[in-house]
Amino acid sequence: MTRSFQSHLNDEIATVAMGNQLAAIIEQGAVIYLHGDLGAGKTTFTRGVVQGFGHTGKVKSPTYTLVEPYELERANVYHFDLYRLGDPEELEYMGIRDYFSADAICVVEWPEKGGEFIPVPDLDITLSYVGDERKIVINSASERGVAIVEKLNS
């Protein structure tokens, strides 16, 4: 049973706020896939999620390091950017499976590049342009994801 949530995001502030809102309702770990063209707001949205879990510093895209860890009081958040990944097998060498514990929040940009080395998501999120605004569509892909999207819709 899939659930969906969608909204228009007027600007960067609204995109960060949407990430904050999502972080506020995630009670345990989650795997979140982010889809969208370059510049669609994936890292901006992730900044909102990471800040929503209590991070106060900068949030940068881990384009070259592949993962940026945020070990926070409420949860460990791992931000992956697989855009420059040459071969999904590289993920096995970096020990990617160690990041995906039951209580970690894993946000994965460009998940299609990870192949079978990354788990199925709880939330599958697409950011796209609609004129000068962005549109976000959040689809559940697991029971945990259904519970999260139902909270967003209430």
Side-chain angles (χ1 to χ4, degrees):
M1 180 188 310
T2 300
R3 295 278 190 266
S4 292
F5 170 88
Q6 52 186 305
S7 181
H8 284 276
L9 306 170
N10 296 331
D11 54 22
E12 181 177 337
I13 293 167
T15 305
V16 171
M18 184 72 236
N20 270 237
Q21 183 182 349
L22 185 63
I25 61 173
I26 294 176
E27 295 173 3
Q28 29 182 301
V31 176
I32 302 168
Y33 282 9
L34 291 181
H35 304 278
D37 293 336
L38 286 171
K42 296 180 297 295
T43 299
T44 302
F45 175 80
T46 301
R47 181 180 346 132
V49 171
V50 173
Q51 289 173 347
F53 278 98
H55 181 70
T56 55
K58 239 177 117 101
V59 174
K60 60 183 171 121
S61 181
T63 304
Y64 294 100
T65 58
L66 296 182
V67 63
E68 190 67 39
Y70 300 92
E71 295 179 359
L72 307 168
E73 190 174 313
R74 201 172 131 220
N76 289 336
V77 181
Y78 300 106
H79 178 199
F80 297 89
D81 184 338
L82 306 183
Y83 182 71
R84 297 202 181 279
L85 188 67
D87 183 332
E89 216 167 272
E90 292 173 39
L91 296 172
E92 191 67 28
Y93 300 128
M94 70 174 268
I96 194 158
R97 295 177 202 274
D98 297 340
Y99 292 99
F100 290 93
S101 68
D103 58 347
I105 309 301
C106 295
V107 181
V108 185
E109 294 185 41
W110 304 98
E112 59 278 3
K113 298 199 174 234
E116 75 268 6
F117 293 96
I118 56 176
V120 173
D122 296 299
L123 299 174
D124 204 9
I125 299 176
T126 301
L127 289 151
S128 58
Y129 290 105
V130 178
D132 291 340
E133 298 179 343
R134 291 186 178 111
K135 178 180 177 185
I136 187 167
V137 177
I138 301 174
N139 291 308
S140 63
S142 72
E143 283 184 38
R144 182 184 286 179
V146 167
I148 293 167
V149 172
E150 285 179 349
K151 287 178 189 173
L152 279 174
N153 282 320
S154 62

